[in-house]
Every structure is written in C-alpha cells, then in structure tokens.
Amino acid sequence: IPVSPKRLRRFYEAVKFEEALSEACLKSPNSPGRVPSDPPPDRSYDPEGGFRFFINKLAHVCDIHRGGSTVTGIAVLQDFDGVRYFIGSNERSEIDLAKVEEFLRSLFRLLRGTRRHGEPLNSDPLFVSIFHHIINFNQPRIRKYLDWLTRQIPSCLSSLQRDFAQVSDTSEPDLRAFLVELQSLVTRFEDARVRDHVKGIRCCASIIEYVDAQRAKSMSGIILAMSRENTINPATTWCDLRHNMARLKAYNVSTKSIISAYNFWPELFQEDIHMEMVPSSRPHPNPLRRLDTTAAAMLGRMVADDAEIELRRAEAEQLKQFNLDGILHKACARKSFTPLVHGEVLVHDAARTYLLENPGVTYWKNWRFVGSSKPTCRLCSYYFSCINDVTVRESHRILYSRWRVPDVFDERAAKARDEILDSIAKKIRQDALQTMRSKLPQGRNNDSSSFPTVPRFFARAAIKSSQSSNRGVAPVVEFGHGSNSTSSYEHASEDLLVEMMERQTFTASFEDDEDDDDENGGVLLFSGRGSR
C-alpha cells in the first residue's frame, strides 16, 4: 500500500530542508562546524553488551564498499531448530548477498576448523587465517583507505615541521619516522598486490597491525592534536589521516571480537545455522521533482503560525548569501534521490515478520538487538525510537535523505507506517528550525567511528574467570621490573587490568570446556600477533 503523495511530500520536504540548511551553514566562513556527536563507546560489561559488540563487528566485515550500498544490518533469532541470522544491506543484488553468505559461512568454518585440527583457539595461526580472510573480502574498502593514505602522508609530512611545535613538545622526529615507515608499508602493498594477490593480503595485514601497534598508539594523541578536530579551524589532512588509520585498525578489532565471541557462544557459528539473506528494497522515484523548492515556500508549509513563519523566513534570509535556495532546488531535483530502505530497517522488518508468523521463536537469548556495520543514521534512529521493540546502535546523527520505510501490505500496517512517518517528520522539522536558529548542523563529518574500541566485556569476563580460579592464571603482562614486580593478573586490580588489556589490544577468549584451558590451568587470552 503506497504512502499518499501529500504525506510523502511533507516528509521529504522537512528532510531536504534540514539537509540543505546544514550544507548552507557549513559554507559560512565563520561556521564552527557541526555539533559534536560521537556516539559513546559501548562500555558494557554484561554478556548482552558483548553480544551487541560482536554483531556490529560481524556486520562491519560484511560492509565492503564505501558509499553506503553495502551498509549491513544483522539480527539473530533462536528458532526451533537452531540459530537463524537475518542479514541485509542497503543496496545489494541477490548475487552479492549470496557472496556475503558464503563469506560468513567460510569464516565460521575457519573458526570451527581449529578444533578439528587440535589448534588452540587463541593461536597465532587462527588469528592470521581469519584476519587474512576478512582482509581479502574487504579489499574494495581497504584499498580506498590505503589510496587515501598515499596522498595524506606526504601532505602531513610536508606540514609537520610547521605545525608540530604548536601542539606538542614530543620530539618531531618520532612522528616523522612513524609516518615514513607507514608510507613505506603502503608503497610495499601497492607493489605486492599487482604481482601477487596473497602477498598483497599479507602486506595489507602488516599495515593494519602497524597502525594498531603500541607505537601507533603513542602517536595517536599527537595526531589528534595535529588534526585540531572539533575546532573552528581543523587541519583536514590530519583529520583524514587519523580517520583512515582508525578505519584500518577496525579490522583488527573486528577479527579479535569475532574470535572472542566464538569462545563464548560457539552455537552461533555452527554448520547448521540458518542464514536469511534479506533482499534489498527497490528504490522509489524522486517524490519531490515538481516541488516549489524555495526556503520561504517550504517554511510556509512547515510552520503553522503566521507570526512564526515570518520569523523563520527572516532567519532563512540570512542563509541566502550561501545559496540556500539553490542548494534546496538542486537537492530536490537530484536524479540520485531515490529513497530506499536501509539495511537495519530491512532486517528488523524481516525478523519481525518471521516472529509474527512463527509463535515461540524469539530473539537469541531474548536479546532484542539489530546490529549494523555503522552507527545508525538519524532517520533510522528516529524510526526505531517509534518502533521501540528492539535496540540498535547509537546514531551518528547524519541525515541521509535517500531513506524510506518498508513496504506494507494491509491497512493496519499502513496506518502504523503513516503515524511513524508523521512522527519522524515532526522531529526533522524541529531539527531544521534548531539548525536555522543555531547555524550548527548536527551529525559527524564521518559516518563511521574514528575511535574503534576493543570489547571490554570479553576482557573483564576473562579476568573474573581467572580471579575465581584456584589454579592460578597465565602470565600475560609484566607490571614493572625487579623483585617487587608481578606478571600475574591475580595481583592487579580489575579496572587496571581491563585498562591494560585495552591499551595493549588484548581480547580475552576462554573456552566453555575446561579441558581446553592451557596446560597451566590459566585462562586463554587472545592477543593476536605480536606487535611490530
């Protein structure tokens, strides 16, 4: 049942007006940028928080292209005959969805195969095989990051001596040497991938490990200071360098998270799991092609009170110098403005339909969560706040106008859909009026996080397990030197251990089966490969 043209127009008018306002505000030479809106990292210590983290990371390694087409949503149900995944993306063909399923099934086989061959589950070969498998599937996106690094590093090196003294008293040669080595690794990758695909994957892995190693962590604060991020005058090249390094690091974090999740919940990775690959929606035609697209006309339809209309039009007049009407007209007439259903919404809709048709089926462990490869966009966030039957990732608050609600096929569902659209439109109108008043657009500059974090739940769970064990723990990190030092977790505070494990990018992983503990009786802590 289609949405009425009038309701569609009201909805997308508000969306496009807010979108155009944000663009016009950022054109001002005095613009302070956007309202800072980094989603808070998930610091959950409970199993449900760890599960959410894992699902988001599993979705992350399925999102292989920039531009939004492969943004992926995942939900997990407990069916009568086992675990059932629902997986969907913004805009993937059936062939591409089949490739995602094969990638995930082969990934799960790699995890299960370690037991058949007697390989310890926290082994270096396990990490390498899964890490390389993920890197190989994600080559389209990773190559983009590396291509950008080849341009950003020389620019940063050229500005280093000029900018460095303003932000840090640490020796400039350390940062220069770090960047030169990173540049060398990227060049080596470019040479290798042309001649030998396997060698190219290894070189790519070396780059990711390099930007996640301890040396890179010591440089990260300096690079952040150099970027002047969230200031009125950010250093764009340094901002981009930091972001791309963080996005590369995210593949290391995701690999470790998936391995750790297998240790906790091996039933999620078994051969007999079901995977429902949800077809992407059909994009709808542009609903605003014939619309009067001046700011004054839109405000007349968006605001009810005559006095307020004139007040808002006066505020909009201030943005005419930045071509607000031109931006509006271009945005509404754009041929690429063909709304589609985003991956998280697709997956939720398919899972909810399955639950209604199969009484007794539930979300796995009753953890009602729809994960995604990126933080949710603003419209998805508003949509799920109206649905209110699942939790989703925190929103990055960026407004993507190429968005629509799922198709419905009965009058009751159509009525509920219309109420949701009206509710979202009301919130977007409020956002637009706030943007017009403050001249501060919402949303981050990037829709993916520049601060990928390791899952604290896995680390804390391993620590609690070790502290409750009477058999001692495996030495992992030395605290100091000499006779008063300790290399065992049992003598350190829990919070300090979590902090140290995060700093060294340790991800805890331990077996459900006691026979799989290491020979000293300690808890296995997966740390990946050694730092370079």
Side-chain angles (χ1 to χ4, degrees), residues 55-63 138 247 250-251 254 372-373:
I55 292 299
N56 291 334
K57 296 310 173 189
L58 192 64
H60 166 242
V61 299
C62 297
D63 185 359
N138 283 269
R247 297 321 306 150
Y251 291 100
S254 292
S372 54
S373 55

Side-chain angles (χ1 to χ4, degrees), residues 215-410:
R215 185 183 180 196
K217 291 181 175 68
S218 67
M219 295 291 112
S220 62
I222 302 172
I223 293 174
L224 178 60
M226 298 286 284
S227 72
R228 302 192 299 274
E229 194 162 312
N230 293 329
T231 70
I232 197 168
N233 185 32
T236 304
T237 303
W238 286 98
C239 288
D240 292 342
L241 174 73
R242 189 183 67 81
H243 180 73
N244 288 323
M245 286 174 57
R247 297 321 306 150
L248 289 169
K249 172 186 173 180
Y251 291 100
N252 209 346
V253 173
S254 292
T255 302
K256 294 174 181 180
S257 302
I258 291 166
I259 294 172
S260 294
Y262 178 74
N263 296 331
F264 280 90
W265 306 297
E267 63 270 29
L268 291 175
F269 301 83
Q270 297 309 305
E271 188 174 2
D272 61 353
I273 61 166
H274 304 280
M275 284 193 183
E276 300 283 349
M277 308 306 293
V278 183
S280 297
S281 66
R282 179 177 56 85
H284 280 185
N286 184 340
L288 298 179
R289 282 176 298 180
R290 298 180 180 86
L291 193 67
D292 181 0
T293 54
T294 66
M298 280 195 175
L299 282 168
R301 292 187 289 267
M302 287 172 56
V303 180
D305 182 74
D306 289 343
E308 187 178 0
I309 289 174
E310 294 309 313
L311 176 63
R312 300 307 176 200
R313 283 175 173 168
E315 291 174 342
E317 191 72 24
Q318 300 172 22
L319 293 171
K320 278 197 171 181
Q321 61 180 314
F322 305 117
N323 195 29
L324 175 59
D325 284 343
I327 294 170
L328 264 175
H329 179 76
K330 185 177 179 180
C332 292
R334 192 171 287 131
K335 290 182 179 179
S336 61
F337 177 38
T338 51
L340 49 78
V341 184
H342 284 195
E344 309 96 306
V345 179
L346 271 175
V347 163
H348 169 263
D349 189 60
R352 185 167 64 166
T353 299
Y354 190 86
L355 290 168
L356 290 172
E357 293 174 349
N358 296 273
V361 177
T362 63
Y363 278 88
W364 191 70
K365 290 187 179 293
N366 283 317
W367 292 340
R368 305 177 67 85
F369 179 69
V370 176
S372 54
S373 55
K374 292 179 181 288
T376 54
C377 73
R378 201 189 316 177
L379 291 176
C380 280
S381 176
Y382 287 162
Y383 175 83
F384 282 110
S385 70
C386 295
I387 297 291
N388 201 31
D389 66 347
V390 294
T391 56
V392 293
R393 283 186 78 167
E394 293 282 347
S395 176
H396 51 53
R397 302 290 296 168
I398 298 174
L399 185 68
Y400 291 128
S401 58
R402 195 171 176 236
W403 183 97
R404 70 176 178 89
V405 290
D407 297 325
V408 297
F409 303 96
D410 63 71

